[in-house]
Amino acid sequence: MNKEKTWWQIIRLKLLVSTIMSASLWVGSGQLGFPLIFQAMFAGYVFFGFIVFVLLDAPPLKAFSGWKAGTAILGFYLVCSALYITAGTFLPQFSSETEMEGIDRKTVKYREDPAVTESLRHRSRELSEKADEILARLEQLKASGEKLDIESVEVAGFSPKLPPSRDVSGLDIVERGKLVYKDHECYNCHKIGGKGGKKRGPELDNMGNLATAEQLKKKIFEPTAWYAEGYEKRKKDKMPDKFPDVMSEEELEALVAYLMTLKNPAVKTPKPVFPSGS
């Protein structure tokens, strides 16, 4: 009959291997440029692995029954909860300042050249006028009862591309708007084409048919200007008010130009609801 192992016999080899692995991960991740918190997390994973393998080799516990079993389960739950909460307090927490700094770093290159800002702002106004002209023509065709063929509706001189003399960034304003949408992580709260969103904000696929460019600009920079239908009382899901500080006018123009192209009536995008008196 095999002699039962002592606790030291159970943990000594595992402790040695875990120590070597933990030190290797700490040094290696540090050399690769990982932040200190990630180095600690990697070392922590090794520690938890050590605990698991020790428990697998540990001597079997005596059987519990009755109130002792209930007490043991409750105690185990409390210990695990305490460890979980304690570990969580050492992990990085959400910081709006850190997020804003990250967004600013992503977009600063687009604000360094005033020529880019001015050219895109000017082009956005042109596109807005062209969009109004297209919508007016569509309304005329709809009123006349003719069958609409969207691809055949053209407006003379309309082109989504910036003229070569203005196309400093190499992007048309709609593509630029898509980049702004991505850089400012709007997909965290909204969906477009079924992608993104955590149901904090409405889907935007048909927003171009429901709001004007000016209304969208006002909403982005003044979140309380109006609400999406059904979101009036969802205070915890309200839109952030940081964008006037982290988003340039050029970015705003480009983002709105992109949003105005979203005209898919098959998606139930909520209608704007304006506060009484506005």
Side-chain angles (χ1 to χ4, degrees):
M1 185 173 181
N2 293 332
K3 184 180 179 181
E4 188 175 285
K5 291 182 179 179
T6 64
W7 277 104
W8 173 243
Q9 290 175 322
I10 292 172
I11 69 172
R12 61 184 180 184
L13 180 59
K14 298 177 181 64
L15 181 62
L16 176 63
V17 173
S18 298
T19 301
I20 294 173
M21 287 182 63
S22 181
S24 300
L25 283 172
W26 180 278
V27 175
S29 58
Q31 291 295 318
L32 291 173
F34 281 89
L36 186 62
I37 185 64
F38 282 93
Q39 291 179 263
M41 287 172 62
F42 295 149
Y45 292 148
V46 175
F47 170 74
F48 287 125
F50 164 75
I51 296 296
V52 169
F53 282 105
V54 167
L55 290 176
L56 289 174
D57 278 351
L61 296 174
K62 294 180 180 179
F64 290 104
S65 62
W67 67 269
K68 291 183 178 180
T71 303
I73 292 174
L74 180 60
F76 179 76
Y77 172 78
L78 291 175
V79 169
C80 290
S81 297
L83 288 173
Y84 181 82
I85 294 171
T86 303
T89 61
F90 290 99
L91 295 175
Q93 304 298 312
F94 174 82
S95 168
S96 59
E97 293 182 359
T98 302
E99 291 291 310
M100 289 168 61
E101 289 174 1
I103 291 172
D104 193 58
R105 285 197 301 271
K106 293 177 183 177
T107 58
V108 66
K109 62 181 179 181
Y110 297 105
R111 299 196 293 269
E112 289 177 346
D113 191 345
V116 177
T117 302
E118 183 56 35
S119 64
L120 289 174
R121 184 181 294 118
H122 178 76
R123 187 54 179 162
S124 176
R125 286 194 292 267
E126 290 182 351
L127 289 172
S128 180
E129 292 172 0
K130 296 296 183 183
D132 291 340
E133 190 177 343
I134 291 174
L135 290 174
R137 286 198 58 188
L138 287 173
E139 288 297 328
Q140 291 175 358
L141 289 170
K142 183 177 180 181
S144 67
E146 296 181 32
K147 184 178 180 180
L148 297 180
D149 182 358
I150 299 300
E151 294 183 356
S152 68
V153 179
E154 297 179 357
V155 177
F158 175 78
S159 172
K161 294 284 186 179
L162 289 173
S165 60
R166 293 180 186 155
D167 194 9
V168 181
S169 68
L171 297 174
D172 65 63
I173 194 167
V174 174
E175 290 301 317
R176 173 76 180 99
K178 291 180 181 179
L179 185 60
V180 174
Y181 181 88
K182 181 179 179 181
D183 283 343
H184 286 275
E185 301 177 346
C186 304
Y187 51 78
N188 279 336
C189 299
H190 299 283
K191 283 186 178 180
I192 295 178
K195 296 181 179 179
K198 296 178 181 177
K199 295 185 178 181
R200 293 174 183 162
E203 296 183 71
L204 302 176
D205 297 71
N206 197 35
M207 185 54 70
N209 281 327
L210 301 175
T212 66
E214 289 305 317
Q215 288 171 343
L216 287 175
K217 291 177 189 176
K218 194 170 184 65
K219 174 64 175 176
I220 294 169
F221 272 17
E222 298 179 34
T224 58
W226 54 270
Y227 300 92
E229 189 175 42
Y231 286 78
E232 300 94 325
K233 297 181 180 180
R234 292 174 59 171
K235 301 300 182 183
K236 68 177 183 178
D237 294 328
K238 66 181 181 179
M239 189 166 173
D241 56 5
K242 64 183 179 181
F243 293 112
D245 298 320
V246 301
M247 185 181 293
S248 69
E249 288 289 338
E250 172 267 320
E251 291 174 308
L252 177 65
E253 296 279 356
L255 176 58
V256 170
Y258 167 52
L259 295 177
M260 289 301 295
T261 67
L262 304 177
K263 299 182 178 182
N264 181 6
V267 177
K268 294 182 179 180
T269 298
K271 298 178 181 179
V273 175
F274 296 89
S276 58
S278 62

